[in-house]
Amino acid sequence: MKLLVLCALVAAAAAWPNFGMMADSPGGASDAQKQHDVNNILWKIYGEIRDPHLKELSQTFDPLSGHYDDGGVSARRLMKELNDERLLEQKHWFSLFNTRQRQEALMLYDVLEHSTDWDTFAGNAAFFRVRMNEGEFVYAIYAAVVHSHLTEHVVLPPLYEVTPHLFTNSGAIQAAYKAKMTQTAVTIKSQFTGSKSNPEQRVAYFGEDIGMNTHHVTWHLEFPFWWDDAHEDHHIDRKGESFFWVHHQLTVRFDAERLSNYLDPVDELHWDDVIYEGFAPHTMYKYGGSFPSRQDNVQFVDVAGVAQVRDMVLLENRIRDAIAHGYITGRDGTVISIMNSHGIDILGDVIESSTYSPNHEYYGSLHNTAHIMLGRQGDPHGKFDLPPGVLEHFETATRDPAFFRLHKYMDAIFREHKDSLTPYTKEDLEFTGVSVHSITFNNKLTTFFEDFKYSLINAVDDSPQAQDVPIYAVIPRLANNEFKIDYRIDNNNEREVMATMRVFMWPKYDNNKVEFSFNEGRWHAIEMDKFWVKLSPGENSLTRSSKDSAITVPDVPSFQTLINKTKEAMTSGSEDMAVAGLHESTSFNHYGCHDGKYPDKKPHGYPLDRRVDDERIITGVSNFKAMDIKVFHTE
Ligand SMILES: *[C@@H]1O[C@H](CO)[C@@H](O)[C@H](O)[C@H]1NC(C)=O
Ligand SMILES: [Cu+2]
């Protein structure tokens, strides 16, 4: 059982979100056709294309003859790389953190992104699928489908069924190969990595959660650090701030899971100290062997061709200096103040760093470089020619407990900045005339483990002649019962008002059973929900289900479900509707909107994002309410 503090704040809505969808499909092809092509371009990515039309396109399409809005510049550039035989071979690992490999993937992304009709998009996808490295190809397709206007209604198949190696352990993969070879249908029971002698194993269910890994990799696809406004048609709003917030939430949630498992919170990573936890990933690449391990208590060493440890300390000091000064120094020496709500956004761009960083030359890429540094500590001099570590892939990074150390470290830097801002005042927080009368839960909150099943069919090699046999993996995952919260809110204004509801939860006690102070607790707050309501004059009563929470999404439909639904849509008269319906439940845009604008003007985490010197200022406003709740875990 875990005791938590729940608090809710109602505030005047600064912006009313518009989640409208465009119904037309530019490019001529129907949504169902596009879905069909995307399914087939990602099906059995390590083998031949099975779809006859796409297979033919892969031989006959000429990228230079396509239609583009960049005059074909991207297509000519990639074709030159291809014809000069400079592209990474197939059947080789791929990591986004490898600069050259990333550039190659992005060259294809550019070609797809600048395609102005579906024939060009699909033709390029087919053509390059058989000529480029599979990992680069999958990344480019995912990024393009996420960002292209042509694919607005296309649902991406779950990555764990497209590249299962990055989501499951070697044991399950080997069992899958065996099932394929012996043509025996199988459901493989998969376990979390490590042994009971490793206390970290108690929370491996979190770092290895398939849904969480999908969330993490999807976030990084939607808010890519490489996104360059100069080449795109829009700016991604509050990308740096979102970087902070998403990782902050992972960090505090992980600590809450640790508390429930009698573990201390994660300590920050220190460049001048050892990395306490070793890690044996028990995970393998499709091509490139096993992911490298790291012993316990490894001293940080320089990584050849990446960075020296002292470079990292230097970058950290420059960033901490900027926070202490209250401003970032731009490339041309300009002073960019961060002493306001927008400061966190700039700081996020600086720390990650993304192309939005105002001075990459000076502040470097603390986060991205740290990922590579940590990922290489098993073979820092490249003596053993090991492939990149789990930390060099967003799909696998959270498997390593060091991921959370790294992010705890970043999080503390962000906190230093947030704590330098003036606390909110009563005037900032209150919503005149509005008060939260009561918050009631309609049932007991429980968590439990359930089995999650997914297909490994795309993990194994085969040929068009070999029959498919069903191969599934089953892994436990933490789930919760559905619950509903009734809110009673009074609006003493004479008119209807629009309100934003913000709901958070934090552990009541720390690992020493000491009650968290408000100021400490609020930094550990887990965002539970955020939604907009119209409050009529007088008493309002509203019920909100946990299923509707803005921070949760239903499972992505399985690859096979997508294929079946697409077939239905294409053969039945309903055409696009089946696919469009699917899309509504799989929109991952819970941190932003399709037009790149975030619907809420307040900072992420508001009103708990700033330091609270006197908690009565928050707890004293009538539009705020806090209560203790209990969460039970059942076996
Ligand atoms: C997909 O369709 C096939 C053939 O109709 C059926 O056997 C299978 O159960 C379906 N799978 C899913 C996941 O819907
Ligand atoms: Cu991340």
Side-chain angles (χ1 to χ4, degrees):
M1 184 206 73
K2 186 157 62 179
L3 192 58
L4 299 111
V5 178
L6 179 99
C7 66
L9 183 97
V10 195
W16 189 257
N18 176 12
F19 295 112
M21 276 224 212
M22 297 212 324
D24 63 326
S25 61
S30 68
D31 285 342
Q33 180 65 45
K34 292 177 182 177
Q35 184 69 53
H36 168 90
D37 290 345
V38 169
N39 291 347
N40 283 287
I41 212 69
L42 291 167
W43 183 250
K44 292 185 189 285
I45 196 70
Y46 303 110
E48 290 174 37
I49 302 179
R50 301 306 171 85
D51 180 71
H53 173 62
L54 289 170
K55 193 178 170 86
E56 197 197 315
L57 267 185
S58 73
Q59 304 307 328
T60 56
F61 182 78
D62 175 10
L64 298 178
S65 73
H67 300 119
Y68 304 100
D69 61 12
D70 67 346
V73 171
S74 304
R76 283 195 295 278
R77 183 177 54 189
L78 183 54
M79 283 307 283
K80 179 151 176 29
E81 297 288 320
L82 176 70
N83 292 331
D84 290 351
E85 294 177 20
R86 279 167 50 83
L87 296 178
L88 177 65
E89 74 224 58
Q90 293 196 321
K91 317 227 178 301
H92 188 286
W93 55 261
F94 159 72
S95 165
L96 191 67
F97 285 113
N98 178 300
T99 308
R100 171 65 195 177
Q101 294 182 7
R102 179 173 67 250
Q103 284 165 351
E104 293 185 6
L106 295 184
M107 280 190 247
L108 175 57
Y109 165 80
D110 282 340
V111 173
L112 298 168
E113 185 61 20
H114 290 294
S115 298
T116 51
D117 57 41
W118 187 249
D119 286 348
T120 304
F121 190 109
N124 276 309
F127 179 89
F128 287 107
R129 163 155 165 181
V130 301
R131 290 171 177 83
M132 278 182 78
N133 173 272
E134 300 86 349
E136 293 182 354
F137 177 80
V138 170
Y139 186 79
I141 293 286
Y142 269 74
V145 171
V146 167
H147 294 287
S148 169
H149 293 300
L150 291 172
T151 45
E152 213 174 321
H153 299 154
V154 170
V155 179
L156 280 162
L159 258 182
Y160 47 79
E161 290 188 334
V162 174
T163 52
H165 283 71
L166 298 176
F167 293 87
T168 191
N169 57 40
S170 325
I173 293 291
Q174 278 156 346
Y177 284 131
K178 176 173 177 220
K180 182 73 192 185
M181 292 295 283
T182 57
Q183 291 281 294
T184 320
V186 68
T187 297
I188 303 150
K189 252 193 125 43
S190 187
Q191 293 301 330
F192 300 116
T193 308
S195 77
K196 292 264 182 279
S197 327
N198 179 1
E200 291 298 318
Q201 212 261 345
R202 285 183 231 158
V203 284
Y205 66 85
F206 185 76
E208 296 179 23
D209 185 278
I210 295 208
M212 195 273 271
N213 285 310
T214 304
H215 154 71
H216 187 214
V217 70
T218 305
W219 184 88
H220 280 281
L221 275 163
E222 287 191 349
F223 297 78
F225 63 83
W226 47 260
W227 184 271
D228 185 352
D229 287 2
H231 301 133
E232 313 289 346
D233 62 358
H234 69 276
H235 178 82
I236 301 180
D237 200 27
R238 293 168 62 178
K239 184 147 74 80
E241 184 191 1
S242 180
F243 169 76
F244 150 67
W245 183 246
V246 161
H247 293 92
H248 172 69
Q249 285 295 299
L250 283 181
T251 306
V252 297
R253 176 64 195 268
F254 188 56
D255 270 351
E257 297 301 329
R258 296 178 72 87
L259 273 179
S260 309
N261 284 283
Y262 309 100
L263 291 172
D264 289 340
V266 178
D267 191 11
E268 285 179 37
L269 178 124
H270 300 277
W271 295 111
D272 51 7
D273 196 358
V274 295
I275 311 161
Y276 288 91
E277 296 96 14
F279 181 59
H282 290 282
T283 320
M284 63 200 276
Y285 282 92
K286 174 71 184 180
Y287 303 110
S290 292
F291 277 88
S293 302
R294 185 185 62 244
Q295 297 295 314
D296 279 344
N297 301 314
V298 168
Q299 192 79 43
F300 258 114
V301 292
D302 301 344
V303 175
V306 176
Q308 297 187 357
V309 177
R310 56 178 207 144
D311 295 338
M312 304 308 287
V313 177
L314 199 72
L315 293 178
E316 177 193 327
N317 287 341
R318 288 175 181 177
I319 293 166
R320 285 196 192 276
D321 260 0
I323 292 168
H325 282 303
Y327 63 84
I328 298 283
T329 308
R331 216 163 276 141
D332 55 0
T334 44
V335 169
I336 304 165
S337 172
I338 53 171
M339 294 303 284
N340 49 43
S341 298
H342 182 53
I344 187 76
D345 190 34
I346 302 170
L347 206 55
D349 293 337
V350 164
I351 289 177
E352 187 173 13
S353 70
S354 75
T355 43
Y356 288 175
S357 170
N359 196 347
H360 176 263
E361 289 73 7
Y362 186 67
Y363 299 108
S365 270
L366 189 64
H367 164 265
N368 287 356
T369 314
H371 263 270
I372 307 174
M373 288 287 282
L374 254 178
R376 298 283 173 84
Q377 291 302 308
D379 183 20
H381 308 295
K383 275 172 74 173
F384 309 111
D385 195 22
L386 296 179
V390 290
L391 281 149
E392 293 172 76
H393 302 267
F394 294 127
E395 291 92 332
T396 52
T398 59
R399 294 176 165 263
D400 188 339
F403 170 90
F404 293 99
R405 267 181 194 270
L406 169 61
H407 277 279
K408 208 43 173 311
Y409 160 74
M410 308 280 160
D411 202 53
I413 301 176
F414 283 121
R415 183 174 182 175
E416 208 166 283
H417 159 69
K418 283 280 190 183
D419 282 355
S420 74
L421 302 176
T422 323
Y424 294 116
T425 61
K426 182 164 173 289
E427 290 67 37
D428 292 332
L429 297 169
E430 72 188 349
F431 189 175
T432 312
V434 172
S435 60
V436 184
H437 187 273
S438 65
I439 303 171
T440 323
F441 283 76
N442 78 340
N443 51 351
K444 190 166 134 177
L445 304 185
T446 50
T447 65
F448 53 89
F449 280 96
E450 66 179 14
D451 277 346
F452 178 64
K453 190 172 165 182
Y454 60 102
S455 171
L456 294 182
I457 211 155
N458 283 335
V460 298
D461 301 295
D462 63 2
S463 72
Q465 290 75 39
Q467 278 272 313
D468 269 337
V469 286
I471 307 172
Y472 290 98
V474 169
I475 184 114
R477 67 174 179 186
L478 191 68
N480 62 277
N481 67 335
E482 186 189 355
F483 58 89
K484 291 195 170 80
I485 307 181
D486 294 325
Y487 300 93
R488 271 197 48 204
I489 301 163
D490 296 333
N491 172 13
N492 296 321
N493 298 292
E494 273 157 23
R495 57 189 171 85
E496 185 181 82
V497 292
M498 284 182 187
T500 309
M501 299 279 297
R502 298 182 163 84
V503 187
F504 298 90
M505 205 160 80
W506 72 69
K508 191 170 173 71
Y509 301 106
D510 71 9
N511 51 320
N512 294 315
K513 287 275 177 292
V514 177
E515 190 170 336
F516 275 115
S517 67
F518 192 95
N519 189 43
E520 210 41 48
R522 59 99 203 167
W523 187 255
H524 291 83
I526 299 163
E527 186 173 22
M528 297 300 289
D529 203 354
K530 172 155 66 183
F531 57 101
W532 288 267
V533 285
K534 284 181 189 172
L535 299 174
S536 312
E539 213 178 274
N540 290 264
S541 147
L542 46 126
T543 303
R544 179 91 170 164
S545 161
S546 55
K547 288 214 159 36
D548 298 326
S549 165
I551 56 129
T552 64
V553 285
D555 281 321
V556 190
S558 73
F559 205 159
Q560 192 59 54
T561 306
L562 265 182
I563 290 169
N564 285 13
K565 295 261 183 195
T566 311
K567 201 181 273 174
E568 274 170 41
M570 288 182 77
T571 50
S572 81
S574 74
E575 253 294 302
D576 295 350
M577 287 317 292
V579 183
L582 268 180
H583 192 271
E584 273 161 38
S585 64
T586 57
S587 171
F588 271 94
N589 273 2
H590 45 310
Y591 289 108
C593 283
H594 269 303
D595 62 0
K597 280 263 183 292
Y598 189 72
D600 182 12
K601 285 208 174 72
K602 293 285 187 211
H604 280 299
Y606 174 87
L608 304 175
D609 60 320
R610 292 204 186 175
R611 108 181 167 256
V612 177
D613 294 344
D614 181 347
E615 67 180 75
R616 289 169 304 182
I617 292 175
I618 288 196
T619 57
V621 295
S622 62
N623 49 316
F624 175 92
K625 193 168 183 68
M627 65 189 286
D628 286 354
I629 50 162
K630 287 176 181 173
V631 179
F632 298 85
H633 182 73
T634 56
E635 287 302 326

